Amino acid sequence: FHSMKANVSRLANYIKTSEDWAVANSHSPLDMRKFKEAEKLLEFLRMLCSEDPKRDTEIPAVQVQSMAESLRLGEELVKAFEMPRDPGGVLPDFMSSVCKLLYTFVSGHARNQQALFAHLKTLQVWNDVGDRTDIGVANTMAGIFRGNHRLCENVPEELVY
């Protein structure tokens, strides 16, 4: 639990400071070391949320998903969707990893699905990023609804059309 808490906290810090390391501009260069560390944190947490943390699997680890929920992982990851869209930099790759983790975080977990359901409009912002049209937002959204009939009955009309 303490290790996961520390990793969620580190990842949240990277998300909050993304303009300092993930976007090259006149104030700061792109920091590939921080990008790679953030990517490793995303992968590590995604693997923890899987039944077998040593290999990538779609079978969720429900206890770990619940622990991640208690650490507010979903809320921290949603903040990543507020980052400025920069299709030419590393952010599309970062956001793709965020989407993979979110999918694993919500997969088959009704509380996590409900928590992200409230943020559908925020997730849609990154649905189309320039020439990289698929970073995984659609998969994340599918994970929110997968196996959750109550949420499926409440799909917002603008999401369908």
Side-chain angles (χ1 to χ4, degrees), residues 15-123:
I15 291 169
K16 288 175 190 155
T17 62
S18 64
E19 289 187 37
D20 295 334
W21 60 267
V23 179
N25 58 39
S26 60
H27 303 291
S28 63
L30 182 65
D31 189 334
M32 289 305 290
R33 184 190 61 77
K34 288 183 178 179
F35 167 70
K36 288 178 182 176
E37 184 176 351
E39 285 272 292
K40 285 180 183 178
L41 286 169
L42 289 163
E43 181 180 4
F44 174 75
L45 291 168
R46 180 173 52 86
M47 298 297 259
L48 278 180
C49 287
S50 297
E51 183 180 68
D52 183 354
K54 293 182 179 147
R55 64 183 180 92
D56 209 359
T57 176
E58 285 195 24
I59 302 169
V62 178
Q63 282 185 303
V64 178
Q65 288 173 308
S66 295
M67 188 184 332
E69 175 203 15
S70 73
L71 295 172
R72 302 171 47 95
L73 177 63
E75 292 175 40
E76 295 298 342
L77 292 173
V78 166
K79 291 175 185 173
F81 289 84
E82 298 167 4
M83 295 189 305
R85 291 171 41 150
D86 179 22
V90 297
L91 284 179
D93 292 328
F94 178 77
M95 293 305 294
S96 179
S97 295
V98 167
C99 287
K100 288 176 185 176
L101 173 53
L102 278 173
Y103 178 82
T104 306
F105 174 71
V106 299
S107 185
H109 196 282
R111 281 193 322 265
N112 292 352
Q113 290 170 322
Q114 180 66 47
L116 282 184
F117 179 81
H119 299 286
L120 288 175
K121 286 186 181 184
T122 304
L123 299 178

